[in-house]
Amino acid sequence: MANTVVKIDGLVKRYKDLIALDHLALEIREGEVFGLLGPNGSGKTTTINCLLSLLAYDNGSIEIFGKPMTPTSYDIKREIGIIMQNVAVFDELTVYDNIDYFCGLYITDKAQRKQYVDEAIKFVGLEDFTKFYPKKLSGGLLRRLNIACGIAHKPKLIILDEPTVAVDPQSRNKILEGIEELNRQGATIIYTSHYMEEVEQICTRIAIMDKGHKVAEGTKEELKKMIKNTETISVEVRGLTDEIREQVASLPHVYLAEYTDGILKVCCSGGKHNLIRVLGVLQEHELHIGRVYSELPTLNDVFLEITGKALRDKED
Ligand code: ADP
Ligand code: MG
C-alpha cells in the first residue's frame, strides 16, 4: 500500500452559523489523482484552505506527509504546489517573471531555477507569451500561467482548485493532460471540480461532497456500482399516452419511465436488451420514433441517487 500523503480526520469548519465542513475525513495516498467532486458551495475550497493551514478550523486533525500540518510547517509547504481557484499572479510582472518569482520562493540556486522556470513554461505551453503581462492573456492562458507558478518548483503534492472554470476547450485539454503528466512524473494530485466529466477522465479516486459532507468515495467504477442505475435510455417519440408509458415502466429492469417535452426517459437497473424491449413497446403501438440514446451511468447519476439533486445546472 502506498504511503499516505494527506490524512484529514473529523474536520469541522464553521462560518458563524453555517457548517461548511461537517466531520470530513479523507485519506489521500501517494501517486493518486484524487478528485474532490461537488457542486458549488459543497466545501471544496474550504477543505483546501484548511488543508493548507490558510484557514483556522473548529475541530479535527490534518496530517501531510505523516506530520501534523500547522501554519508554520514550512518543510511541508515547500513540497506542496497550490493552484488556487482565483488566479493569483502579479499584474506588474511578465509571464516569465511571475513564474520566476514563485519558483524563487523555493529554489534559490539561479541556474536550477532558470531550468525549472523554462520547464514550467514549456509544460503549460506559454513559450510564445513569456514577455506578456497577465492582463494581455486570455482566460485560458492566464489559468495556464497560474498553474505554471504553482508547479515550477516540482512539488510532491499538487493541489488544483477548479483550474478549468471558464476556460476554452483547448486550454482545458492542455490543463487536464498536464495534470496527468505531472502525476506520471511522480506528483500526488488533489483536484477539485464540479465538472464530473473531468473528474471521471483524470481521477484515480473520487470523493463526492455535498453540504460539507463526504457522501461517497471510491474509483469511478466503484461509485457507479453503488447505485441502482445501470442504463438510461432516451427516445424522441411523439404522442406517447400515459398507458404506453406505464407499459414501458412495467418492463423488467425498468424502475423509472418519464415522458416530458417529447422525450421518453427510461432508467434501468441491470438486465440486457433493455433498449430493444423499450423500442418493442413503442413499435407495437406504431409510434414514430426519432433519435434514440442509451447512456451508461455518469457520476451525475451517482450524485443524483445519493443526494436527490443534480450535480449542476444544465446551463453550467
Ligand atoms: P466550494 O469550493 O465547494 O464551492 P466553499 O468551500 O467555497 O465551497 O464554500 C462552502 C460553504 O461555505 C458555502 O456555503 C459558502 O457560501 C460558505 N463560505 C465559504 N467561504 C466563506 C466565508 N469566508 N464566510 C462565510 N461563508 C463562507
Ligand atoms: Mg471552490
Side-chain angles (χ1 to χ4, degrees):
M1 176 85 76
N3 290 331
T4 298
V5 173
V6 171
K7 189 163 167 49
I8 297 178
D9 248 324
L11 186 61
V12 176
K13 171 64 191 172
R14 291 193 188 88
Y15 295 109
K16 296 208 174 107
D17 291 341
L18 180 97
I19 302 186
L21 297 177
D22 191 0
H23 296 89
L24 182 73
L26 290 175
E27 191 167 336
I28 296 157
R29 291 189 284 270
E30 199 174 325
E32 288 191 307
V33 180
F34 189 88
L36 264 187
L37 175 69
N40 287 329
S42 55
K44 303 181 296 295
T45 298
T46 302
T47 304
I48 301 302
N49 287 341
C50 292
L51 184 64
L52 293 166
S53 273
L54 296 173
L55 195 61
Y57 43 93
D58 298 277
N59 223 324
S61 66
I62 297 175
E63 284 184 6
I64 303 183
F65 306 126
K67 287 185 265 182
M69 179 66 178
T70 69
T72 55
S73 302
Y74 301 115
D75 52 337
I76 297 177
K77 289 185 180 179
R78 241 190 298 281
E79 305 286 354
I80 301 177
I82 168 75
I83 291 97
M84 292 289 190
Q85 181 169 4
N86 298 318
V87 173
V89 296
F90 294 106
D91 287 339
E92 301 79 8
L93 299 180
T94 61
V95 163
Y96 186 95
D97 290 342
N98 260 296
I99 303 170
D100 186 60
Y101 173 83
F102 285 103
C103 190
L105 298 174
Y106 308 90
I107 310 290
T108 46
D109 182 85
K110 257 190 164 174
Q112 189 186 24
R113 189 162 80 236
K114 183 170 185 317
Q115 188 199 328
Y116 278 19
V117 172
D118 287 341
E119 281 177 24
I121 288 168
K122 225 171 130 192
F123 188 77
V124 296
L126 282 176
E127 295 97 325
D128 296 339
F129 303 92
T130 54
K131 294 200 172 75
F132 279 53
Y133 287 88
K135 286 236 157 70
K136 298 275 179 206
L137 299 177
S138 68
L141 295 181
L142 192 60
R143 284 272 167 190
R144 293 200 229 167
L145 170 61
N146 200 38
I147 292 172
C149 291
I151 60 146
H153 63 291
K154 299 192 189 292
K156 285 202 284 200
L157 170 64
I158 300 174
I159 301 170
L160 301 106
D161 194 3
E162 308 236 24
T164 59
V165 169
V167 158
D168 59 280
Q170 193 195 348
S171 280
R172 171 183 283 213
N173 286 337
K174 186 100 192 152
I175 290 169
L176 294 177
E177 282 164 18
I179 293 168
E180 290 185 301
E181 179 58 27
L182 289 167
N183 181 246
R184 273 193 292 275
Q185 291 171 8
T188 302
I189 312 279
I190 301 178
Y191 182 84
T192 89
S193 182
H194 65 283
Y195 297 128
M196 56 165 186
E197 299 88 350
E198 293 185 354
V199 170
E200 278 204 30
Q201 189 182 330
I202 66 165
C203 295
T204 55
R205 216 152 55 84
I206 300 156
I208 301 183
M209 289 187 66
D210 186 39
K211 296 181 184 156
H213 293 272
K214 179 173 74 182
V215 294
E217 188 175 24
T219 63
K220 58 177 186 260
E221 292 83 10
E222 287 166 350
L223 287 168
K224 288 175 185 181
K225 276 194 200 135
M226 287 176 194
I227 61 169
K228 64 180 174 190
N229 182 286
T230 57
E231 184 181 10
T232 301
I233 296 165
S234 306
V235 184
E236 280 182 12
V237 56
R238 287 225 209 113
L240 190 90
T241 62
D242 211 43
E243 284 96 69
I244 303 174
R245 188 196 58 74
E246 276 186 13
Q247 195 184 336
V248 171
S250 64
L251 286 171
H253 308 292
V254 170
Y255 67 90
L256 181 81
E258 282 176 348
Y259 184 55
T260 35
D261 300 330
I263 295 179
L264 172 67
K265 182 179 149 190
V266 184
C267 295
C268 307
S269 186
K272 289 177 184 165
H273 315 302
N274 293 317
L275 178 61
I276 290 171
R277 271 195 292 266
V278 170
L279 294 179
V281 171
L282 302 179
Q283 209 172 27
E284 192 184 305
H285 295 279
E286 294 181 354
L287 291 170
H288 179 77
I289 296 167
R291 275 184 292 187
V292 177
Y293 313 88
S294 168
E295 292 163 293
L296 296 171
T298 64
L299 291 178
N300 193 45
D301 294 311
V302 177
F303 192 81
L304 186 67
E305 265 195 39
I306 295 174
T307 68
K309 60 184 188 225
L311 191 51
R312 63 175 206 253
D313 304 331
K314 282 222 168 66
E315 62 273 15
D316 187 9

